[in-house]
Amino acid sequence: MPLIRAGTLVLDGQVRRPGWLETAGGRILGCGAGAPPRPPDTDLPDSVVVPGFVDMHVHGGGGASYPEAVADAAAFHLRHGTTTTMASLVTAAPAELIAGVRALAAAARRGTVAGIHLEGPWLSAARCGAHDRTLMRDPGPAEIDAVLDAGGGAIKMVTLAPERPGCDQAIRRLRDAGVVVAVGHSDATYEQTRRAIGLGATVGTHLFNAMPPLHHREPGPALALLADPGVTVELIADGVHLHPAVVDAVIRAAGPERVAVVTDAVAAAGCDDGTFRLGAMPVEVVAGVARVRGTDTIAGSTATMDRLFRAVAERCGLAEAVQVTAATPARALGLRGVGSLRPGHDADLVVLDRDLRVTAVMRRGEWTAA
């Protein structure tokens, strides 16, 4: 039963200096503040130990994309501290969508990823972002049933635009299937968004991005999502998608318990500038910023969760950074046993140096190469 002591641990949302944690069988057996009950097997006096990151919105990384190279993309983000990955699929034609869902469902059964997030195809062409607008469509019952069947329970979240015809029924069907419904890539009004929330939508996909800007006479989806206490809002805190002051303001307004920081990373994360793909769309990365080739449209990010963790921790504090990168996304997705360091949870943790850079990662009690 390995025992770890660290100069700083964030245990169940509380910063402890020092602290200890004991693992057995891939789970946390016990943890606490102060001196450990016996001499530690691993002593990390100059390190910060936090829960493994939970990324609920990521398309790829390290040159690999979902669903084509599931293991490679997940392994890349694991090295950066993401121990729980929700693999995201972009808008695709029906047959390609089903094939992608089946591939990721198999990966979920293997434990490579925690599940699937469908970001499309039931989105707004007016707010398509880096999705192929020609493939966007209304959420027909037959296609929803086919996708759910292909997923075999692995689909955990679906982003849709509630103004599309058929979305009321789609939200009900997805919620009945235990799927988290998110509002995003939407041109919905404030009232349409409130209706979707009333029907069961509980997440705002990358708040402010791919939706109308907040206006004092037409507040749109952003305010409806931000103001509702039952909604978790995603933020891409990479300094490109949102100004850091906006990230700070949302965390203050909603509270870290309602904010999930996500990478929305594409295959280009961790790579040099160059040309990549996001689904059917060609993506060009210049100075670390991914855009649809030949346009100014941002196409996901090149960020990793450790980088976003540092950005939030430096501005908002260590406990808050843990909340928005682990505990909140785990809760929003209904994932049990991950997102915090407490007895009975998976032994998923990230070891950081004094500059909050990753030095080691443990997943289910096993150390991995950082």
Side-chain angles (χ1 to χ4, degrees):
M1 293 183 290
L3 181 65
I4 300 167
R5 177 193 176 276
T8 301
L9 274 88
V10 182
L11 301 176
D12 203 10
Q14 301 296 314
V15 180
R16 305 301 188 188
R17 296 188 174 97
W20 59 273
L21 180 148
E22 189 172 20
T23 70
R27 296 186 180 275
I28 298 170
L29 182 66
C31 55
R38 58 181 173 80
D41 301 291
T42 302
D43 198 5
L44 304 166
D46 298 320
S47 296
V48 178
V49 175
V50 300
F53 305 132
V54 179
D55 193 352
M56 61 191 287
H57 189 157
V58 53
H59 298 278
S65 294
Y66 298 118
E68 295 84 1
V70 182
D72 291 341
F76 167 78
H77 284 290
L78 180 61
R79 292 193 294 273
H80 289 271
T82 299
T83 54
T84 301
T85 293
M86 198 59 51
S88 301
L89 293 178
V90 294
T91 297
E96 185 180 356
L97 178 66
I98 293 293
V101 167
R102 286 178 175 155
L104 288 179
R109 290 192 293 272
R110 295 192 298 269
T112 307
V113 297
I116 303 167
H117 163 218
L118 294 185
E119 189 185 17
W122 309 307
L123 309 176
S124 165
R127 301 287 173 178
C128 62
H131 293 245
D132 186 341
R133 73 174 67 232
T134 67
L135 296 176
M136 291 178 175
R137 50 199 182 268
D138 297 335
E143 183 171 36
I144 290 178
D145 286 346
V147 167
L148 291 173
D149 183 64
I155 297 174
K156 303 298 184 184
M157 186 167 80
V158 170
T159 295
L160 49 73
E163 70 273 21
R164 291 203 77 113
C167 270
D168 285 6
Q169 295 83 353
I171 293 171
R172 294 189 186 99
R173 175 69 181 95
L174 292 167
R175 293 298 296 157
D176 287 346
V179 176
V180 173
V181 176
V183 173
H185 284 274
S186 171
D187 208 32
T189 64
Y190 176 85
E191 291 75 18
Q192 288 171 323
T193 308
R194 289 292 306 152
R195 177 172 175 80
I197 294 169
L199 290 169
T202 57
V203 171
T205 295
H206 44 52
L207 189 70
F208 298 119
N209 297 119
M211 61 181 66
L214 182 63
H215 188 277
H216 57 286
R217 285 190 294 274
E218 296 178 5
L223 184 61
L225 295 165
L226 184 58
D228 194 290
V231 173
T232 298
V233 293
E234 292 182 353
L235 296 180
I236 309 174
D238 63 348
V240 175
H241 285 79
L242 300 170
H243 191 285
V246 172
V247 175
D248 295 352
V250 171
I251 293 175
R252 287 196 306 270
E257 296 79 11
R258 288 186 49 219
V259 174
V261 166
V262 300
T263 61
D264 196 12
V266 297
C271 300
D272 293 336
D273 289 356
T275 301
F276 302 84
R277 296 195 74 81
L278 177 59
M281 305 299 287
V283 173
E284 188 171 5
V285 179
V286 177
V289 178
R291 301 183 188 276
V292 175
R293 189 171 61 195
T295 76
D296 291 329
T297 301
I298 300 173
S301 87
T302 60
T304 52
M305 285 296 282
D306 55 332
R307 171 183 152 192
L308 304 185
F309 178 91
R310 286 193 297 274
V312 176
E314 289 166 1
R315 297 176 67 91
C316 301
L318 189 59
E320 290 77 4
V322 166
Q323 182 70 41
V324 301
T325 58
T328 295
R331 177 198 53 75
L333 292 169
L335 301 178
R336 297 182 177 181
V338 298
S340 64
L341 302 181
R342 65 172 72 171
H345 275 216
D346 289 352
D348 293 348
L349 55 88
V350 184
V351 180
L352 307 167
D353 64 18
R354 290 181 174 179
D355 295 323
L356 301 182
R357 298 188 179 277
V358 176
T359 61
V361 179
M362 176 182 283
R363 184 170 187 253
R364 298 176 186 169
E366 298 291 333
W367 292 108
T368 65

